[in-house]
Amino acid sequence: MITRNAPARTSFAALGTTATLLVTDTAALEAARGLLAAELARVDEACSRFRPDSELSRVNAAEGATTSVGVVFGEVLDVALSVAAATGGAVDPTVGASLTALGYDRSFPAVSREDPRPVAPPPSRADWRAVSWDPATRAVRLPAGVALDFGATAKAFAADRAAAAAAEATGCGVLINLGGDIAVAGRPPARGWRVMLADDHRAADGTGPVITIHGGGLATSGTTVRTWRRAGRRVHHIVDPATGDTATPVWRTVSVVAATCVEANAATTAAVVLGERALRFLGDSGLAARLAGTDGRITRLSGWPPDTPQQVAS
């Protein structure tokens, strides 16, 4: 996604993607950036699957033992389990072993794009209900062979938290974009935040439909950008928990607007996993959604507006 129509912005690398911050008051940019960077650092230290010193790595390596975790990890785990329940298990945080088996065992830029080895089956099937979690004592236990991955929730959680904190601290409108997970807080620009969507997540050529948002969250999930090949087969980063394999590509991208970025990202990820069943799932949710099929068809649900070309001048 490309966001425009803001008086000040900054971008930097974080959480394996690009963090982009926009504010309506130029004088607030430095303070807002500091708050965003601090929040992302806390989430990375707690929830990174690629840092051997993270809490997530410690929990995944416990092999059935109970582990005590910190506040941030506990909050993200709470969110991940709630998302799993709300999506009927379509978005399941226990797909870590499956992602590793697929070859996504390091930060995405370092993933081998052509791996001749076949995919090894994960040691156990994902099931979020197998996680033992006591919020009061912050004690978590995973069955042996099960590994957590917060890829479907941690970035959205961080975007929501950082946007709210920056807006409260600075008193201005804030938009945070973490690799397509967008959270908005505070008073928006007069005409709202205008966001350019791209069916391949990049809009590198500056084209694509534009949507205006004034608050809440907007997320896009897809099957065309974070991809690589295993034994000649193209795979991507969204796992179907029912099979432990990469979700069958039915949608090139799915975009959803919701009250929070967490809710939006949960819906888009679930839609990719559900394939054709996503239409009923999203229709029942009442969330405005745009689905771009691998066959080129565009489906709009619950009031998503017709595509508007890149008329993004402020």
Side-chain angles (χ1 to χ4, degrees):
M1 296 185 187
I2 294 178
T3 51
R4 301 184 181 178
N5 196 31
R9 77 161 61 199
T10 187
S11 297
F12 55 94
L15 303 185
T17 187
T18 299
T20 300
L21 166 70
L22 296 88
V23 295
T24 56
D25 181 357
T26 303
L29 185 63
E30 183 176 354
R33 188 189 191 284
L35 290 166
L36 172 59
E39 183 64 33
L40 295 179
R42 285 191 290 268
V43 170
D44 192 50
E45 290 170 6
C47 302
S48 173
R49 193 163 54 88
F50 311 121
R51 288 180 53 163
D53 62 339
S54 72
E55 286 188 272
L56 180 61
S57 293
R58 182 161 54 87
V59 169
N60 285 344
E63 285 298 319
T66 298
T67 307
S68 296
V69 297
V71 173
V72 173
F73 185 99
E75 290 174 337
V76 174
L77 179 57
D78 273 332
V79 169
L81 295 176
S82 295
V83 164
T87 60
V91 185
D92 190 318
T94 64
V95 296
S98 294
L99 285 164
T100 297
L102 287 164
Y104 196 1
D105 56 356
R106 63 204 71 189
S107 183
F108 188 74
V111 171
S112 175
R113 299 300 189 269
E114 285 284 350
D115 191 329
R117 297 171 298 168
V119 175
S124 59
R125 182 173 170 272
D127 190 341
W128 62 277
R129 293 164 296 189
V131 177
S132 175
W133 165 236
D134 185 345
T137 61
R138 294 204 301 275
V140 61
R141 182 177 61 80
L142 307 177
V146 171
L148 294 173
D149 174 77
F150 292 140
T153 49
K155 286 197 291 97
F157 170 89
D160 282 330
R161 281 271 293 262
E168 181 177 2
T170 65
C172 72
V174 176
L175 181 148
I176 290 172
N177 180 3
L178 301 180
D181 290 345
I182 291 178
V184 168
R187 185 174 180 178
R191 292 193 292 167
W193 297 103
R194 303 188 65 184
V195 180
M196 183 182 294
L197 306 178
D199 288 345
D200 64 0
H201 275 205
R202 288 169 290 189
D205 59 357
T207 63
V210 173
I211 185 171
T212 300
I213 58 174
H214 295 82
L218 166 64
T220 295
S221 296
T223 60
T224 61
V225 174
R226 293 200 170 212
T227 67
W228 60 101
R229 297 181 72 83
R230 288 295 300 267
R233 183 169 71 97
R234 181 174 170 272
V235 296
H236 60 84
H237 71 296
I238 298 179
V239 167
D240 182 347
T243 66
D245 200 357
T246 189
T248 301
V250 172
W251 309 109
R252 193 166 61 240
T253 58
V254 181
S255 299
V256 169
V257 173
T260 66
C261 187
V262 164
E263 185 181 7
N265 192 60
T268 60
T269 305
V272 170
V273 170
L274 293 170
E276 292 289 352
R277 292 174 293 158
L279 299 178
R280 179 171 181 178
F281 169 79
L282 290 171
D284 289 346
S285 76
L287 298 173
R290 178 185 185 273
L291 302 93
T294 55
D295 58 1
R297 64 186 167 120
I298 303 297
T299 303
R300 302 174 186 83
L301 300 173
S302 302
W304 189 282
D307 285 358
T308 302
Q310 58 275 16
Q311 299 169 355
V312 293
S314 57

